[in-house]
Amino acid sequence: MRRIICLALMSLILLGVARAEGDLSGLTLSELYDLRRSVDRRIEELENAGVKPHYKSGTYRVGVDMPEGVYVLQDDGAALFPSVLVRADGEDGGEVLNYELVIPTAVMRFMSGSFVTLSDVTAYPFELAPEVGLDEDGAAFEGGYWVGPQIPAGYYRVVPNEKAPLSSYSVYDDVPGAGAHLLKFEVVDEPIELALDRGQYVNMSGCGIQWIQADAP
C-alpha cells in the first residue's frame, strides 16, 4: 500500500513539475531529493490519518490516538497477566470502566473519550484483525469470542481442561466495553451443553467449547 501511495503521489508531483518546467531535465539532484522528502512526508501524514492495522502495548485515548469501535485483542505470548484497562478520564486517576485479562484472545468495544491501557496485548480493529473462531473440528479454546461475527450461534458442549485449577465460563449480552450485561457464569467440572445466541459474548477460562448444532435437538 505504501508503494502504491508513493507512486501515485510522485506521479502527481512530477506531473505538476513537468507542466511548470516543461520536463524534469532542468532539476538538480538537490531538488530531486527535496521532491522525494516531500513525498515521504505526505505519505506519513496519510498513514497517520488512517486506521492503523494494530496497536501495541501502551495507553491510547479513544477518538484521538485510536478510533472508537470493536477490537480483537490478543496476548503477546510471554506475560503472566496480559490485560486491558479502560478508564473514563485520565491515564491514571480516572474512573475504571473495564478491566479484562486477555488469555489468549478477547473482544472489546472502545468508546470515544476513554483511555485504554494495553499491557502485553495487541489490539486489532475488528475489520483488520486476524481471523479468530472455531477450528476445523468446530472447537474453540480458552479466550473470549463474539457469537455471530466470530463463532456461529447454536448449541455447544463446554469441556473443562483437566489440568486447569478452575474451569469456568461467562456469557454476556454483548462484547464488553459499552454496558454489556452478564447473563450467566458457571464453574464446570464436567462437560455440559450451552446455547449461545447471535450478538452474545462468551469468555472461557480453563475450558473450551465444541460446536454441536445450530438448532435445538
Side-chain angles (χ1 to χ4, degrees):
M1 177 60 73
R2 182 183 177 89
R3 183 179 180 86
I4 294 173
I5 295 174
C6 182
L7 290 174
L9 286 172
M10 182 67 78
S11 298
L12 290 172
I13 293 173
L14 293 181
L15 179 60
V17 172
R19 286 176 175 173
E21 302 288 339
D23 59 43
L24 300 177
S25 60
L27 292 179
T28 66
L29 183 61
S30 176
E31 289 171 333
L32 289 171
Y33 281 139
D34 288 341
L35 183 62
R36 186 168 66 182
R37 284 192 288 270
S38 296
V39 171
D40 287 338
R41 284 195 298 270
R42 182 56 180 153
I43 288 173
E44 184 176 358
E45 289 174 0
L46 291 174
E47 288 181 338
N48 290 337
V51 177
K52 296 181 181 180
H54 61 263
Y55 299 83
K56 304 293 283 186
S57 294
T59 297
Y60 304 86
R61 184 167 188 176
V62 184
V64 177
D65 304 314
M66 64 192 307
E68 78 169 11
V70 177
Y71 285 77
V72 174
L73 312 169
Q74 294 188 343
D75 68 21
D76 292 341
L80 184 60
F81 295 109
S83 63
V84 177
L85 174 66
V86 182
R87 293 182 180 274
D89 298 294
E91 298 181 13
D92 300 316
E95 175 191 0
V96 175
L97 298 178
N98 217 310
Y99 176 80
E100 292 284 331
L101 288 175
V102 181
I103 304 174
T105 186
V107 182
M108 286 187 72
R109 192 186 310 274
F110 298 149
M111 306 299 292
S112 285
S114 60
F115 286 81
V116 173
T117 298
L118 307 173
S119 299
D120 298 301
V121 167
T122 300
Y124 299 86
F126 193 84
E127 64 277 9
L128 301 178
E131 186 174 347
V132 175
L134 303 182
D135 63 16
E136 295 180 353
D137 297 322
F141 301 95
E142 193 170 36
Y145 302 89
W146 196 5
V147 184
Q150 289 184 316
I151 62 174
Y155 283 79
Y156 289 83
R157 180 173 293 108
V158 180
V159 182
N161 181 349
E162 295 179 355
K163 297 181 180 180
L166 181 68
S167 298
S168 65
Y169 71 88
S170 304
V171 179
Y172 298 82
D173 61 359
D174 194 3
V175 295
H181 297 96
L182 178 65
L183 300 177
K184 188 174 185 179
F185 170 81
E186 187 171 2
V187 175
V188 292
D189 53 16
E190 60 181 7
I192 62 169
E193 290 191 8
L194 173 66
L196 294 174
D197 295 329
R198 184 175 181 83
Q200 292 180 341
Y201 177 77
V202 60
N203 187 59
M204 295 170 293
S205 176
C207 60
I209 52 175
Q210 175 72 49
W211 192 77
I212 301 174
Q213 62 184 54
D215 299 318

